[in-house]
C-alpha cells in the first residue's frame, strides 16, 4: 500500500505583526502550544532545529508576464519601461484598460492564463487565483522540507507598486505523517513582503533572524544578480546559495552571472544541475568497459536536443562533458529558426577538432521543467572508433536522432528513465542535506562561461 500523503497541522496561521515582534511572536506560538502536548490532546512538536532557509520569491507580476511570453527582462521586482510595455501588450490583447500598470483585472487575467498553461483544469475560484501564489498561507515549501527537517523559513516577497514599507507575518506548520503521528515535525515561517527597495532597506535585520549555530541556505528564485545589494548581503551570511536555471529568462547571461558569483567565492548550487544526474550517469556508464574507455578520445561529434525555450540544461551538460574530456572552446555560433541551433567548436588535448550542436526542439507537450534534455548523441568521424552512443528520454526523444541515422550507427543505445520528482521543492529538500562548494558543477559552469565570453568578445 502506498503511504498516505502528509497533512498539514497549523500551529499558527499567518499573523500580521511588526518587524520588531517576530522573535517574541514565534516564542509565544510555542509557549501557547506547550511543546509536549501535556494534555494528551495534541502530539509533541519539534521546533526548528536543523537550518534556516531564506527564500527570495520572484515578483508575481513579472513572473507571470515572463512565463506567458510577454516579458524578457530580469525578474527583479522593479517596474521599468520594459515591464510597462509588457503590461500594455497584455491589456491590449485581452481588451483591458491600457494603463501599463498591474491592475487587479490585469493580474487576474494573467493568473487565469497561467493556470491554463499549467493544464491543471482549475475552475471557479481556483481559476481566478491560479496555481502561482505568493500567499504565506500556502505551506508548499514547508511541507516538502519539513517532512524530514524541522527548520525556519524566511520568505521574501517583492511586490510591484507603491513603497509602503515591509509587512511581516509569522506562522508555523507541521506535516503529520499518518504512519507515525506521535511527533510533529514543524517549520517556522517568517514572511516579509514589500517593494524590492523596501526589502533592501531592511536587509540588515534579516541575518538576525537566522538561527545561530545552524546551517543557513538562500534559495534565490529570481534572476541572479551579483550587483543586487540584498543578494550580496544574504549570500555573505549563508552556507549555500541555491538557484534554478530552468527559470532563467536569458540563460546565457544568467549563467555568466553565476560564474561571476563562483569567482567571488559564493558557494553556489543549481537545482537544474541536479536534473542532469541521470544523463551524466548513463553517459559515464556507456564508457565503463576498457575498450570503450579507450575510445573516449575518439569522440569528435556531439549533438544535444532539449525542449525549446531554455538552453541551460543543454549548456550545463555540454560544459560537464567538455570539462571531463578537457576540451577547450574555440568558436561559438547561433542560428535562428524553428530550431534554436547553437554550434560550438572545441579543441581536444591532442589538437583534434570537436564539433558540438545544441538544438532547441519545439515540442507539442511542453513539460513542467523548461528546457529538459530530450536526447544526445556522441560519435566520431573515425569509422573505426567504437564510441557511438545515443541516450534518449522516455518520451520518444530519439526520433530526431534516428532520422539522422544516429541510432543505427550508435554502438550503445540507452534510455533515461524520467526522474520521479524533478520539482524544485523536492530537489531543494535534497540540497539542504549538503552545503558548501560543488567542484564538478563549478568546473562545468566555467566551461560554459568561456563559451559565452567568446561571443561577448567577438
Amino acid at each position: 500500500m502506498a503511504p498516505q500523503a502528509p497533512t498539514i497541522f497549523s500551529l499558527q496561521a499567518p499573523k500580521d505583526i511588526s518587524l520588531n515582534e517576530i522573535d517574541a511572536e514565534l516564542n509565544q506560538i510555542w509557549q501557547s502550544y506547550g511543546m509536549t502536548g501535556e494534555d494528551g490532546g495534541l502530539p509533541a512538536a519539534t521546533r526548528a532545529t536543523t537550518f534556516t532557509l531564506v527564500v527570495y520569491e520572484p515578483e508575481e507580476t513579472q513572473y507571470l508576464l515572463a512565463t506567458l511570453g510577454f516579458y524578457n527582462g530580469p525578474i527583479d521586482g522593479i517596474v521599468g519601461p520594459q515591464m510597462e510595455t509588457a503590461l500594455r501588450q497584455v491589456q491590449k490583447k485581452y481588451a483591458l484598460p491600457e494603463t501599463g500598470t498591474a491592475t487587479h483585472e490585469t493580474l487576474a487575467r494573467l493568473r487565469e492564463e497561467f493556470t491554463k498553461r499549467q493544464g491543471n483544469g482549475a475552475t471557479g475560484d481556483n481559476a481566478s487565483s491560479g496555481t502561482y501564489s505568493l500567499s504565506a498561507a500556502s505551506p508548499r515549501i514547508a511541507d516538502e522540507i519539513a517532512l524530514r527537517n524541522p527548520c525556519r523559513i524566511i520568505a521574501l516577497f517583492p511586490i510591484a507598486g507603491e513603497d509602503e514599507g515591509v509587512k511581516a507575518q509569522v506562522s508555523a506548520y507541521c506535516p503529520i505523517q499518518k504512519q507515525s503521528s506521535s511527533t510533529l515535525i514543524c517549520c517556522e515561517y517568517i514572511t516579509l513582503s514589500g517593494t524590492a527597495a523596501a526589502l533592501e532597506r531592511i536587509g540588515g535585520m534579516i541575518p538576525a533572524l537566522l538561527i545561530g549555530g545552524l546551517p543557513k541556505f538562500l534559495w534565490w528564485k529570481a534572476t541572479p544578480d551579483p550587483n543586487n545589494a540584498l543578494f550580496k548581503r544574504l549570500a555573505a551570511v549563508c552556507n549555500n546559495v541555491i538557484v534554478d536555471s530552468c527559470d532563467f529568462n536569458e540563460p546565457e547571461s544568467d549563467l555568466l552571472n553565476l560564474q561571476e558569483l563562483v569567482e567571488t567565492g559564493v558557494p553556489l548550487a543549481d537545482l537544474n544541475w541536479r536534473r542532469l544526474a541521470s544523463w551524466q550517469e548513463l553517459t559515464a556508464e556507456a564508457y565503463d568497459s576498457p575498450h570503450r574507455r579507450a575510445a573516449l578520445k575518439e569522440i569528435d561529434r556531439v549533438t544535444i536536443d532539449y525542449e525549446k525555450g531554455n538552453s541551460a540544461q543543454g549548456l550545463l551538460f555540454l560544459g560537464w562533458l567538455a570539462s571531463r574530456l578537457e576540451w577547450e572552446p574555440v568558436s561559438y555560433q547561433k542560428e535562428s529558426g524553428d530550431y534554436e541551433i547553437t554550434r560550438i567548436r572545441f579543441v581536444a588535448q591532442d589538437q583534434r577538432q570537436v564539433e558540438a550542436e545544441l538544438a532547441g526542439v519545439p515540442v507539442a507537450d511542453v513539460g513542467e521543467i523548461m528546457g529538459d534534455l530530450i536526447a544526445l548523441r556522441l560519435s566520431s568521424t573515425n569509422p573505426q572508433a567504437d564510441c557511438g552512443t545515443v541516450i534518449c528520454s522516455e518520451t520518444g526523444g530519439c526520433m530526431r536522432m534516428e532520422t539522422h541515422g544516429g541510432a543505427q550507427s550508435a554502438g550503445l543505445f540507452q534510455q533515461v528513465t524520467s526522474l520521479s520528482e524533478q520539482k524544485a521543492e523536492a530537489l531543494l529538500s535534497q540540497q539542504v542535506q549538503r552545503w558548501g562548494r560543488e567542484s564538478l558543477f563549478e568546473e562545468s559552469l566555467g566551461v560554459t562561461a568561456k563559451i559565452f565570453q567568446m561571443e561577448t568578445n567577438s
Side-chain angles (χ1 to χ4, degrees), residues 63 67 146 155 169 203 284:
Y63 180 87
T67 302
Q169 289 183 331

Side-chain angles (χ1 to χ4, degrees), residues 280-289 412 414:
Q280 293 166 331
E281 290 168 9
L282 283 179
T283 303
E285 288 173 8
Y287 299 96
D288 270 348
S289 62
L412 191 62
Q414 302 191 73

